[in-house]
């Protein structure tokens, strides 16, 4: 299969390129500097030149707080551009796999959200991502929209890295314990997206790490697993006001296990990430490639 990855140099994109190559696919990587997914002419040219069977779109505006102040720009990247990409792929007869988020939900549930649960984003980021879902679904019938959450991986700024860095400097950390979600390792999500790209099933899929926890629990687990002496204490969202409202409960589960992909539990994802991180650090320390 020929795979084109857009937004290929981001945290998820890099993993998707690697997973696609590992699966034996002929894989092309493009990011904003070489293929802007809002540029229809550039997309038409790239699709004609590269002739992919599927495009996996990892491009996005991921600054959740920044989107509150710059919603129009976030909407351009997360809402309008995926529609342009979906229309270009549809015209070329190419399948599209697009990545979305748990933030499309209001976050006030007490049961996990499944694919058919009603959406209702509370943040600008969530609104722009939901607009992208609608645009992709409307423009290309051969689409997959994979919602994920709380992503961490080697190639981007993420919560686990932040906690480990702060834990190395401080004796105590206070972390919010009233937001529950599904931590997801990019190393688990990327091959799942390639599997969805290979299949024929279309529509919405929930693809997040199994189980759920709070940010406090995730931080405590990450610090304990790395032997950090830093103590982690629970606190509340009210004590850490942020520009964008965060969902209190945005756990994703799937009602499409039969034709979707069920990711391993988040604890396995965390363990996999910490092992990958440790081996990456030792290679870097030894002068290897970063
Ligand atoms: N991170 C999370 O916790 C999380 C959770 C749920 C869902 N997601 C979704 O997962 C996807 C990947 O997220 P990520 O964390 O890997 O994001 P990321 O690290 O910010 O990567 C996004 C990439 O997209 C590129 N990009 C921006 N505008 C573009 C455009 N118009 N055309 C082509 N490329 C463009 C960015 O380039 P520049 O850096 O040059 O702008 C960047 O390389 C996104 O759809 C995001 O909404 C992420």
């Amino acid at each position: 299969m020929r795979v084109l990855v857009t937004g290929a140099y981001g945290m998820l994109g890099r993993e998707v390129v690697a997973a696609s190559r590992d699966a034996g696919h002929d894989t092309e990587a493009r990011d904003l500097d070489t293929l802007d997914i809002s540029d229809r002419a550039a997309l038409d040219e790239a699709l004609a030149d590269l002739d992919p069977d599927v495009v996996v779109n990892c491009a996005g505006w991921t600054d959740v707080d920044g989107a509150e102040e710059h919603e129009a720009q976030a909407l351009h990247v997360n809402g309008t551009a995926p529609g342009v990409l979906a229309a270009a792929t549809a015209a070329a007869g190419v399948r599209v796999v697009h990545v979305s988020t748990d933030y499309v939900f209001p976050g006030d549930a007490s049961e996990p959200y499944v694919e058919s649960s009603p959406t209702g984003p509370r943040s600008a980021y969530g609104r722009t991502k939901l607009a992208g879902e609608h645009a992709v679904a409307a423009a290309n019938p051969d689409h997959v929209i994979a919602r994920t959450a709380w992503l961490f991986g080697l190639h981007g700024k993420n919560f686990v890295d932040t906690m480990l860095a702060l834990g190395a400097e401080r004796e105590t950390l206070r972390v919010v314990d009233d937001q529950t979600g599904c931590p997801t390792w990019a190393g688990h999500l990327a091959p799942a997206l390639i599997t969805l790209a290979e299949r024929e099933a279309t529509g919405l899929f929930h693809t997040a790490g199994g189980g759920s926890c709070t940010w406090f629990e995730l931080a405590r687990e990450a610090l304990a697993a790395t032997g950090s002496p830093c103590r982690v204490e629970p606190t509340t969202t009210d004590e850490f006001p942020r520009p964008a409202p965060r969902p209190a409960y945005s756990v994703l589960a799937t009602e499409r296990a039969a034709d979707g992909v069920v990711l391993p539990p988040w604890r396995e994802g965390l363990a996999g990430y910490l092992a990958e991180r440790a081996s990456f650090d030792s290679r870097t320390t030894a002068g290897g490639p970063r």
Side-chain angles (χ1 to χ4, degrees):
M1 196 166 81
R2 289 174 68 81
V3 179
L4 168 61
V5 182
T6 51
Y9 303 147
M11 181 164 66
L12 180 60
R14 285 182 189 268
E15 300 283 351
V16 169
V17 170
S20 179
R21 290 187 176 141
D22 286 350
H25 301 307
D26 190 356
T27 307
E28 291 286 341
R30 297 286 184 276
D31 207 284
L32 184 56
D33 55 346
T34 44
L35 184 58
D36 178 342
I37 61 155
S38 68
D39 182 340
R40 177 63 192 262
L43 285 167
D44 287 344
E45 197 183 323
L47 292 170
D49 282 355
L50 304 170
D51 193 25
D53 300 294
V54 58
V55 175
V56 183
N57 179 35
C58 299
W61 172 300
T62 51
D63 177 0
V64 173
D65 287 326
E68 291 296 315
E69 209 185 319
H70 304 285
E71 188 162 352
Q73 289 101 310
L75 182 64
H76 174 75
V77 180
N78 289 342
T80 310
V84 176
L85 172 64
T89 50
V94 173
R95 181 171 170 82
V96 66
V97 175
H98 177 67
V99 183
S100 191
T101 171
D102 56 328
Y103 280 47
V104 298
F105 292 113
D108 55 0
S110 49
E111 296 278 304
Y113 291 105
V114 292
E115 287 85 348
S116 60
S117 300
T119 52
R122 296 273 163 86
S123 62
Y125 171 73
R127 286 191 291 276
T128 65
K129 292 297 291 184
L130 185 61
E133 290 189 2
H134 292 158
V136 168
N140 188 346
D142 191 7
H143 70 266
V144 163
I145 295 165
R147 290 184 183 137
T148 194
W150 293 27
L151 206 56
F152 50 89
L154 273 188
H155 307 290
K157 195 166 166 273
N158 67 75
F159 175 84
V160 174
D161 285 359
T162 303
M163 291 301 111
L164 296 179
L166 290 174
E169 291 166 5
R170 299 187 191 170
E171 282 178 16
T172 308
L173 276 183
R174 288 155 62 74
V175 184
V176 294
D177 194 30
D178 56 1
Q179 293 172 27
T180 302
C182 301
T184 306
W185 179 32
H188 280 156
L189 178 61
L193 295 176
I194 295 302
T195 300
L196 290 169
E198 289 162 350
R199 293 190 185 156
E200 289 183 359
T202 58
L204 266 175
F205 293 90
H206 284 184
T207 48
S212 64
C213 67
T214 67
W215 292 115
F216 160 73
E217 290 165 331
L218 177 57
R220 190 180 53 183
E221 187 103 356
L223 285 159
T226 52
S228 167
C230 177
R231 231 179 37 247
V232 188
E233 292 175 352
T235 185
T236 61
T237 304
D238 289 346
E239 286 189 47
F240 276 92
R242 306 275 293 269
R246 297 321 202 250
Y249 182 93
S250 61
V251 177
L252 298 180
T254 184
E255 59 192 2
R256 299 196 63 181
D259 58 354
V261 185
V262 176
L263 265 56
W266 68 266
R267 277 196 174 82
E268 284 179 30
L270 178 63
Y273 177 53
L274 294 176
E276 177 187 54
R277 206 174 173 273
S279 105
F280 191 76
D281 284 348
S282 67
R283 273 186 288 134
T284 313
T285 314
R290 188 146 186 124

